[in-house]
């Protein structure tokens, strides 16, 4: 979804933990009530949503079954290069942070 008059910014949250998705959604929706927020539990669900929307921001967990968050981020970046990406994870390994930086993904 591109921002234009009358259109809201879109945020996609990708995390396998329903609790984490709901918590992050609550924080994001409270801080940015004007934004449209949607969720995916993994890369496959995220890719399906990306066929229908062009998010402005994508918040991605690192540790997920199937593809990890950086793999998902790389694919999202290729298909939606204008989207701002952030890896939101408790996995604070320097190697993960370094790979995120190489991909241009903000590490939170």
């Amino acid at each position: 979804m591109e921002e234009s008059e009358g259109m809201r910014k879109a945020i996609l949250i990708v995390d396998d933990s329903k609790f984490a998705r709901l918590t992050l959604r609550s924080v994001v929706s409270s801080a940015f009530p004007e934004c449209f927020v949607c969720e995916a539990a993994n890369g496959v669900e995220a890719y399906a949503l990306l066929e229908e929307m062009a998010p402005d921001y994508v918040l991605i967990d690192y540790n997920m079954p199937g593809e990890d968050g950086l793999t998902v981020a790389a694919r999202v970046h290729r298909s939606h290069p204008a989207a701002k990406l952030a890896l939101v994870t408790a996995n604070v390994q320097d190697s993960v942070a370094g790979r995120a930086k190489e991909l241009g993904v903000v590490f939170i």
Side-chain angles (χ1 to χ4, degrees):
M1 174 186 312
E2 293 181 5
E3 184 178 24
S4 63
E5 191 172 320
M7 296 189 75
R8 303 183 317 181
K9 288 201 178 259
I11 300 170
L12 174 59
I13 298 169
V14 185
D15 196 313
D16 62 311
S17 166
K18 183 172 182 144
F19 177 76
R21 286 194 317 272
L22 292 174
T23 301
L24 192 52
R25 181 184 195 115
S26 177
V27 170
V28 168
S29 294
S30 292
F32 305 99
E34 71 282 1
C35 291
F36 169 73
V37 180
C38 60
E39 305 169 20
N42 54 48
V44 172
E45 288 183 16
Y47 305 142
L49 285 170
L50 291 170
E51 290 181 13
E52 302 172 17
M53 66 179 293
D56 298 286
Y57 303 95
V58 184
L59 308 175
I60 309 167
D61 183 29
Y62 177 72
N63 293 315
M64 295 185 291
E67 297 177 328
D68 67 43
L70 290 174
T71 302
V72 173
R75 188 165 167 185
V76 170
H77 179 67
R78 283 191 303 274
S79 66
H80 294 78
K84 306 286 190 242
L85 307 177
L87 195 65
V88 183
T89 184
N91 188 329
V92 292
Q93 297 177 42
D94 290 339
S95 62
V96 174
R99 286 178 46 215
K101 185 176 181 177
E102 289 171 8
L103 289 171
V105 176
V106 174
F107 185 83
I108 300 173

